[in-house]
Amino acid sequence: GEDVEQSLFLSVREGDSSVINCTYTDSSSTYLYWYKQEPGAGLQLLTYIFSNMDMKQDQRLTVLLNKKDKHLSLRIADTQTGDSAIYFCAEIYSGYSTLTFGKGTMLLVSP
Amino acid sequence: DTAVSQTPKYLVTQMGNDKSIKCEQNLGHDTMYWYKQDSKKFLKIMFSYNNKELIINETVPNRFSPKSPDKAHLNLHINSLELGDSAVYFCASSQDGVSGYEQYFGPGTRLTVT
């Protein structure tokens, strides 16, 4: 079965870059996603990458995908206190329509 | 303007009761989902509906019964509530049910069973 793993916690200072890592097991993943959840709120789709891409950049966000190692990362440049939240990595694999989520990484940004 | 809305936002009830959570999306999407987030923030799919038809039913107790009166609505009815049902339930929708491209989530319903 599919499995998505993330480190549980990351602490950075405001202005630094944050890198949140994720590994997955299913090699037939088609899309990989990053969602953000602020306290008491729902999930907000930040960005996604298709499995035939290696990198995707969207303003302060950079997603890197290493298919060989089944490793996905999200880099947030110039991290702000408003970026403090839980970040979930998720995948969809071929023929299946629902998301499989990692357990989430709590990002804490200190001033 | 809310794309995916859920009611109620909070639900506190006693064991053994029956309750419903409603979900509506105004995005014109064909596919809707229910996810459960437990106390450790772990998110897991429960159900998926495409054009009012059930397409995915994960190993969820049959006390949980989703109902889709039309493709804009997917309600979740729970019978004989148990303590372990306490969680946050998220509804979501997407345009393409095959790839699941861009699933939009509702704000969640926090269910507390006492």
Side-chain angles (χ1 to χ4, degrees):
Chain A
E2 66 281 3
D3 197 16
V4 180
E5 298 286 340
Q6 297 178 242
S7 52
L8 294 181
F9 187 75
L10 176 65
S11 179
V12 301
R13 287 186 179 269
E14 193 172 23
D16 289 349
S17 292
S18 308
V19 179
I20 302 171
N21 294 303
C22 170
T23 57
Y24 58 97
T25 56
D26 198 312
S27 58
S28 61
S29 294
T30 51
Y31 288 94
L32 293 132
Y33 302 81
W34 285 104
Y35 280 85
K36 175 183 179 183
Q37 185 179 30
E38 296 181 8
L43 282 89
Q44 174 194 353
L45 176 64
L46 285 179
T47 187
Y48 66 93
I49 190 166
F50 189 49
S51 58
N52 68 355
M53 298 167 66
D54 297 321
M55 186 182 91
K56 180 177 180 180
Q57 187 147 4
D58 184 359
Q59 299 182 340
R60 291 191 297 124
L61 306 178
T62 303
V63 178
L64 294 177
L65 175 61
N66 181 329
K67 287 190 293 285
K68 176 175 169 289
D69 295 337
K70 298 191 184 71
H71 182 265
L72 181 74
S73 67
L74 174 69
R75 179 177 180 269
I76 306 173
D78 188 24
T79 316
Q80 304 296 307
T81 54
D83 295 325
S84 293
I86 300 176
Y87 290 79
F88 290 93
C89 168
E91 63 168 355
I92 278 181
Y93 60 99
S94 179
Y96 207 61
S97 67
T98 59
L99 292 164
T100 298
F101 285 90
K103 288 184 167 59
T105 299
M106 179 176 289
L107 174 65
L108 180 64
V109 184
S110 52
Chain B
D1 276 314
T2 305
V4 183
S5 59
Q6 295 179 228
T7 53
K9 189 168 174 61
Y10 300 96
L11 183 54
V12 181
T13 188
Q14 291 184 324
M15 282 175 57
N17 285 347
D18 303 337
K19 290 292 177 186
S20 292
I21 306 172
K22 294 185 177 181
C23 178
E24 176 181 2
Q25 54 94 3
N26 62 7
L27 297 166
H29 288 167
D30 292 330
T31 305
M32 296 184 73
Y33 312 82
W34 277 109
Y35 289 86
K36 178 180 179 181
Q37 186 176 43
D38 64 23
S39 58
K40 295 183 180 176
K41 302 295 185 184
F42 186 51
L43 273 156
K44 193 167 171 58
I45 184 67
M46 299 174 69
F47 300 103
S48 172
Y49 267 72
N50 181 265
N51 274 316
K52 304 193 296 175
E53 299 289 329
L54 178 67
I55 54 172
I56 288 171
N57 180 353
E58 291 294 314
T59 46
V60 176
N62 58 14
R63 297 182 295 103
F64 289 78
S65 52
K67 287 185 172 52
S68 183
D70 55 63
K71 75 173 195 176
H73 295 84
L74 180 62
N75 303 322
L76 184 64
H77 189 75
I78 316 170
N79 289 328
S80 302
L81 278 154
E82 299 178 358
L83 292 177
D85 297 332
S86 295
V88 181
Y89 292 84
F90 287 100
C91 178
S93 72
S94 68
Q95 179 57 42
D96 181 355
V98 174
S99 67
Y101 178 63
E102 289 198 47
Q103 290 190 19
Y104 292 87
F105 282 76
T109 295
R110 181 175 294 277
L111 171 65
T112 304
V113 182
T114 61

